[in-house]
Amino acid sequence: MNNITIKQIGLTEAHLVAGLFNQYRIFYNQFSDIGMAKAFIDERLLHNESIIFLAIDADTEQPVGFTQLYPKYSSVRLSKNWILNDLYVDETYRKQGIGEKLIKTAMDFAKANGSTFVQLETAVDNYTAQHLYETIGFEKQGNDEEFFLYKIALNS
């Protein structure tokens, strides 16, 4: 694997993830609009509505992947868990373990912040992602016609 570092970004670094976020949206058949992508990321970070981890190629200093987490609250359990909503790695950097590294960083973050689980969804035809999630230990919870729901418990 290339020399990849993972870091949590804040509002002042939102521009670093905008291009990857735009590519992620294109992957899911949305139109390309880098301005809207940047505005969406800015809004999430400005209002502390998400946590973003960015993978950077330390040799080129280029962003190569990211994951974005959204909080999921439970009144009954009095807890905040996380939805791993977005995960994307640039095509030229795939199959190098970067997606797994991003997911594990997100899981470590969630666990360190007292969460008991992380959940995610992926398209029913995204077999590569399903294999990755199941290899890490996510368990399929259910599905609808378009997406599978996965969840992993974080042992406290």
Side-chain angles (χ1 to χ4, degrees):
M1 175 170 38
N2 291 330
N3 189 12
I4 302 297
T5 58
I6 308 287
K7 68 182 261 180
Q8 183 178 341
I9 64 166
L11 182 59
T12 60
E13 299 166 301
H15 65 283
L16 296 174
V17 77
L20 290 167
F21 183 67
N22 191 54
Q23 290 301 311
Y24 169 79
R25 294 184 67 254
I26 292 168
F27 178 82
Y28 279 103
N29 301 313
Q30 301 301 306
F31 62 91
S32 176
D33 189 322
I34 193 74
M36 283 180 55
K38 170 113 174 30
F40 185 86
I41 294 295
D42 284 348
E43 189 75 13
R44 300 295 72 74
L45 293 173
L46 177 66
H47 296 289
N48 294 314
E49 294 173 339
S50 75
I51 300 294
I52 299 175
F53 291 101
L54 186 65
I56 299 170
D57 182 329
D59 297 327
T60 65
E61 297 183 13
Q62 291 299 308
V64 298
F66 79 98
T67 190
Q68 182 165 213
L69 304 168
Y70 293 114
K72 176 182 177 84
Y73 297 97
S74 172
S75 300
V76 173
R77 293 185 185 107
L78 300 175
S79 66
K80 176 167 75 171
N81 292 294
W82 295 92
I83 299 169
L84 193 153
N85 201 73
D86 309 321
L87 175 68
Y88 183 80
V89 175
D90 182 273
E91 278 188 54
T92 59
Y93 285 84
R94 292 184 187 158
K95 301 208 183 293
Q96 298 179 34
I98 297 168
E100 181 175 354
K101 193 171 182 179
L102 283 162
I103 293 168
K104 288 184 174 178
T105 299
M107 289 169 55
D108 289 345
F109 166 83
K111 187 174 180 179
N113 285 278
S115 300
T116 57
F117 69 85
V118 172
Q119 76 177 50
L120 58 86
E121 288 184 326
T122 193
V124 297
D125 62 351
N126 192 343
Y127 306 112
T128 302
Q130 291 168 34
H131 177 73
L132 173 61
Y133 302 144
E134 291 169 8
T135 298
I136 290 171
F138 280 81
E139 296 179 0
K140 196 180 296 183
Q141 304 294 301
N143 64 287
D144 60 26
E145 292 180 11
E146 296 181 60
F147 295 95
F148 288 130
L149 174 67
Y150 284 90
K151 195 172 184 179
I152 190 167
L154 304 173
N155 299 327
S156 297

